[in-house]
């Protein structure tokens, strides 16, 4: 009886922990993020639910994308317009983005495109 109760409590705790972290991701559906791992310290992202725009080099270049949210912590990003020179991906390609965790104002993500994955960190600078 005690063993079964412990198993049930562990399952309940796991589900509640996951639900809490999953709901935290929802703040990224309307926000402004700053790249933390980029040489370009002026680059940032604006997400407005189904639309995503990355601004680079003081806004001189951008990448526009449409988002398809799979759940609160994952979306597919179809790149629709790219002006950033030498960007390795083309318009029409889809990048899957998973939000791994949010700690304070830092969001940790894993992006996958063409079968290759990249980790990234972003500072949440504004909730829109």
């Amino acid at each position: 009886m005690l063993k079964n109760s412990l198993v049930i409590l562990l399952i309940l705790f796991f589900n509640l922990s996951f639900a809490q972290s999953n709901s935290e991701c929802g703040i990224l559906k309307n926000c402004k993020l700053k790249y933390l791992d980029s040489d370009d310290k002026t680059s940032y992202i604006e997400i407005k639910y189904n639309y995503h725009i990355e601004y680079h080099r003081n806004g001189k270049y951008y990448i526009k994308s449409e988002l398809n949210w799979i759940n609160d912590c994952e979306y597919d990003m179809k790149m629709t317009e790219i002006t950033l020179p030498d960007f390795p991906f083309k318009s029409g390609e889809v990048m899957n983005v998973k939000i791994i965790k949010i700690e304070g104002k830092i969001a940790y993500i894993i992006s996958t495109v063409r079968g290759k994955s990249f980790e990234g960190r972003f500072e949440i600078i504004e909730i829109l």
Side-chain angles (χ1 to χ4, degrees):
M1 177 79 172
L2 181 62
K3 186 177 178 181
N4 289 340
S5 296
L6 286 175
V7 170
I8 291 170
L9 283 174
L10 284 174
I11 291 170
L12 182 61
F13 177 75
F14 175 77
N15 286 337
L16 288 174
S17 296
F18 180 76
Q20 181 181 3
S21 64
N22 197 20
S23 67
E24 288 177 358
C25 298
I27 65 169
L28 298 184
K29 289 185 177 182
N30 287 293
C31 68
K32 188 173 179 180
L33 305 167
K34 181 179 178 181
Y35 280 92
L36 292 177
D37 302 318
S38 174
D39 293 336
D40 179 1
K41 300 302 177 197
T42 68
S43 62
Y44 66 95
I45 297 170
E46 284 186 358
I47 297 176
K48 294 182 181 170
Y49 196 72
N50 289 328
Y51 298 99
H52 169 279
I53 303 175
E54 295 183 30
Y55 296 95
H56 296 272
R57 300 183 193 154
N58 284 318
K60 183 176 180 181
Y61 303 107
Y62 59 85
I63 301 167
K64 292 183 179 181
S65 303
E66 295 174 358
L67 303 183
N68 178 33
W69 288 90
I70 296 167
N71 58 54
D72 279 350
C73 295
E74 182 178 2
Y75 57 85
D76 286 331
M77 181 178 91
K78 181 180 180 184
M79 294 169 262
T80 58
E81 191 176 344
I82 301 166
T83 64
L84 184 63
D86 302 319
F87 189 65
F89 309 116
K90 304 289 181 226
S91 183
E93 290 193 86
V94 176
M95 176 181 291
N96 176 266
V97 178
K98 293 180 183 174
I99 303 159
I100 303 305
K101 64 181 174 179
I102 298 173
E103 289 183 344
K105 291 188 173 194
I106 308 300
Y108 296 82
I109 60 105
I110 294 180
S111 301
T112 304
V113 64
R114 292 188 195 161
K116 294 184 181 177
S117 295
F118 312 91
E119 293 184 14
R121 297 178 311 137
F122 299 90
E123 179 183 1
I124 303 166
I125 54 178
E126 185 178 353
I127 304 298
L128 304 173

